Amino acid sequence: MELDEIDKKLLLFLQEDCKQTTKELSGKLGLSVTAVYERVKKLENSGVISRYVVLLDKRKVKRDFIVLCHVKLTQHKKEFVLQFEKEVMNLQEVTECFHVSGDYDYILKIGVKDIEDYRNFMLTKLTTLQHIASTHSSFMISEVKNTTAIVL
């Protein structure tokens, strides 16, 4: 789908606050409410807008101890990779998982309450997964940039 400049502006406004009404968006874009509604529906139906979510304040829900955990598998056999990916999907503490190149196979972003909570996660969940050869953890000191917006 080809996005025009109005679509791009609309997507930026929705990424800033998706609870804006079509009336509010129409005022910002200089379009009728119906035109904005139709554009949003087109973007949803084409899959450009995949879903709407609520972003939580990690501190207020006590999940602000952020860990980047590098994971190396014992082998790169297809069944090992697929099994690891299936199992990691069930770990609620893991908010992001990337299959990467380099010295490690995966990078996991993990949000827990504190170091004790992370230790418990490692001992009772992550290291119980099959085919993990090693892990390496880095702890977030401060968050410099965190955005979900994609600028077009």
Side-chain angles (χ1 to χ4, degrees):
M1 175 181 173
E2 197 66 33
L3 300 175
D4 64 19
E5 289 306 310
I6 294 172
D7 289 331
K8 291 176 183 179
K9 286 180 185 176
L10 175 58
L11 289 168
L12 283 174
F13 291 141
L14 288 171
Q15 287 181 100
E16 289 171 5
D17 179 8
C18 69
K19 289 186 73 173
Q20 295 177 81
T21 66
T22 52
K23 183 177 181 180
E24 291 171 318
L25 292 166
S26 71
K28 291 179 179 180
L29 295 167
L31 298 174
S32 71
V33 172
T34 302
V36 170
Y37 176 82
E38 289 173 356
R39 281 181 180 265
V40 170
K41 281 294 164 203
K42 180 183 74 170
L43 292 165
E44 291 171 346
N45 293 335
S46 67
V48 172
I49 296 175
S50 61
R51 62 186 169 153
Y52 297 91
V53 299
V54 172
L55 301 176
L56 304 180
D57 184 322
K58 291 183 287 293
R59 285 170 292 167
K60 292 185 179 178
V61 296
K62 297 187 179 9
R63 292 290 181 273
D64 59 334
F65 191 81
I66 305 300
V67 183
L68 296 177
C69 181
H70 297 69
V71 176
K72 186 181 292 190
L73 299 182
T74 55
Q75 294 181 38
H76 297 105
K77 293 167 77 174
K78 182 179 179 179
E79 66 234 39
F80 288 12
V81 168
L82 294 177
Q83 182 178 1
F84 174 80
E85 290 177 359
K86 181 181 174 194
E87 291 176 351
V88 83
M89 293 295 289
N90 295 321
L91 300 175
Q92 66 184 19
E93 295 87 351
V94 177
T95 57
E96 297 180 62
C97 175
F98 303 98
H99 193 180
V100 296
S101 63
D103 293 337
Y104 289 90
D105 300 310
Y106 291 91
I107 298 176
L108 310 179
K109 183 177 177 184
I110 301 163
V112 290
K113 186 173 71 172
D114 53 27
I115 189 75
E116 185 178 326
D117 201 20
Y118 182 63
R119 181 177 190 275
N120 185 54
F121 167 79
M122 286 293 288
L123 294 175
T124 64
K125 295 183 180 180
L126 187 61
T127 58
T128 65
L129 301 184
Q130 295 181 11
H131 314 302
I132 292 180
S134 65
T135 64
H136 175 84
S137 300
S138 299
F139 306 102
M140 180 182 77
I141 295 170
S142 70
E143 189 170 84
V144 177
K145 180 177 182 179
N146 180 351
T147 183
T148 59
I150 298 172
V151 179
L152 305 171

